[in-house]
Amino acid sequence: MIIQGTETLTSLIHILSESLLTPVIILLVISVIIVILSFGGVINEYISRKPISSKELEDLIRKVSFSNNVSEMKSVIEKSNLFDYQKEILVRIANNHDIGSDARKALASELISSEETRLIKKTNKTDILIKVGPILGLLGTLIPLGPGLASLGTGDISVLAQALTIAFDTTVTGLSVGALSYLISKYKKQWYESDLINVETIAEAELETLNKW
C-alpha cells in the first residue's frame, strides 16, 4: 500500500514537472524580449544622455551660491545643462524659500529620495531577470532530462538527443538573459547614482544660500 502511494505521488510529481516545461520556455521567451527592449533602451539613453561635466557642475554651484535672489537662482538652474527632473527638484526647493530652514532641508531630502525611488523602479525588471533568467534556464535544463534519460533505458536515442538540445538551449538563453540584465542594471544604476549625487551637491549649495537670506 505504501509502495503504491509512493508511486502515485511520484507519478504526480513527474506529470507536474513535465507540465512546467512549456511555461518555462514561454517565460524565457518573454524574458528575452524584455532584455532586448531594455538593451535598446539603454543604448538610446546612452546616446541621448548629456550629463554635465565636473567643470559645469562647479560653475553651476558658484552661480547658485552667489545668486542675489530666488528668481536669479531659478534662472541659473533652468538655464543649466541639468536634466529636466534635476531642474524640477532644485526649482521646487527654491520655490519654498519662505519656509523654515529645517523644513526646507527636510523637503529637499524628501524630493531627492522620491526621485531616487522613481529611478530605482526603472531597473526593477532587469534586477528581477538577473536571478530569474538563470533559474528558468536551470529549470529548462532539468525538466527535459528526466524523459530523456528514461528513453535511454529503452534505447530511444532520438528522444534523449531532443531533450539535451532543449536543455542546452534553455541553459544558454537563461544565462544570457541574466548576464545582459546585470549589465543593463549596473550601468543604469551608475548613471542614476551620479545624477542624484549632482542634485544633492547643488541642493546643498542652494540650501546654504537660501539660509543666508
Side-chain angles (χ1 to χ4, degrees), residues 1-165:
M1 187 63 120
I2 296 176
I3 295 176
Q4 289 180 345
T6 303
E7 289 178 351
T8 301
L9 291 175
T10 303
S11 299
L12 180 62
I13 292 174
H14 178 70
I15 294 171
L16 178 62
S17 176
E18 286 194 341
S19 66
L20 289 174
L21 182 58
T22 300
V24 165
I25 292 176
I26 292 173
L27 288 174
L28 272 174
V29 172
I30 294 174
S31 299
V32 169
I33 294 172
I34 292 174
V35 168
I36 291 173
L37 293 176
S38 299
F39 188 70
V42 167
I43 293 175
N44 181 59
E45 189 171 354
Y46 175 77
I47 295 173
S48 61
R49 276 181 63 85
K50 293 181 179 179
I52 63 173
S53 64
S54 58
K55 183 64 171 64
E56 289 175 316
L57 179 62
E58 180 183 350
D59 291 341
L60 180 57
I61 291 173
R62 292 185 61 85
K63 289 179 180 179
V64 168
S65 298
F66 289 108
S67 298
N68 296 315
N69 51 60
V70 174
S71 297
E72 183 181 344
M73 179 181 288
K74 289 167 61 176
S75 177
V76 167
I77 292 170
E78 290 171 348
K79 290 180 180 178
S80 67
N81 291 325
L82 292 170
F83 296 117
D84 289 340
Y85 77 86
Q86 294 174 312
K87 293 179 182 179
E88 182 181 354
I89 292 173
L90 298 171
V91 168
R92 287 181 65 181
I93 294 172
N95 285 336
N96 287 276
H97 63 91
D98 53 345
I99 64 177
S101 60
D102 290 340
R104 191 163 52 240
K105 185 176 181 180
L107 173 64
S109 178
E110 174 59 27
L111 291 174
I112 294 173
S113 178
S114 297
E115 188 60 32
E116 182 179 7
T117 301
R118 186 187 72 84
L119 292 175
I120 288 174
K121 288 181 178 178
K122 295 178 72 173
T123 63
N124 278 350
K125 290 181 181 178
T126 47
D127 284 344
I128 292 172
L129 290 179
I130 291 172
K131 295 182 178 180
V132 172
I135 290 174
L136 292 174
L138 180 60
L139 287 173
T141 301
L142 297 177
I143 293 173
L145 285 182
L149 293 174
S151 67
L152 185 62
T154 61
D156 193 349
I157 304 299
S158 61
V159 175
L160 177 61
Q162 184 179 6
L164 289 174
T165 301

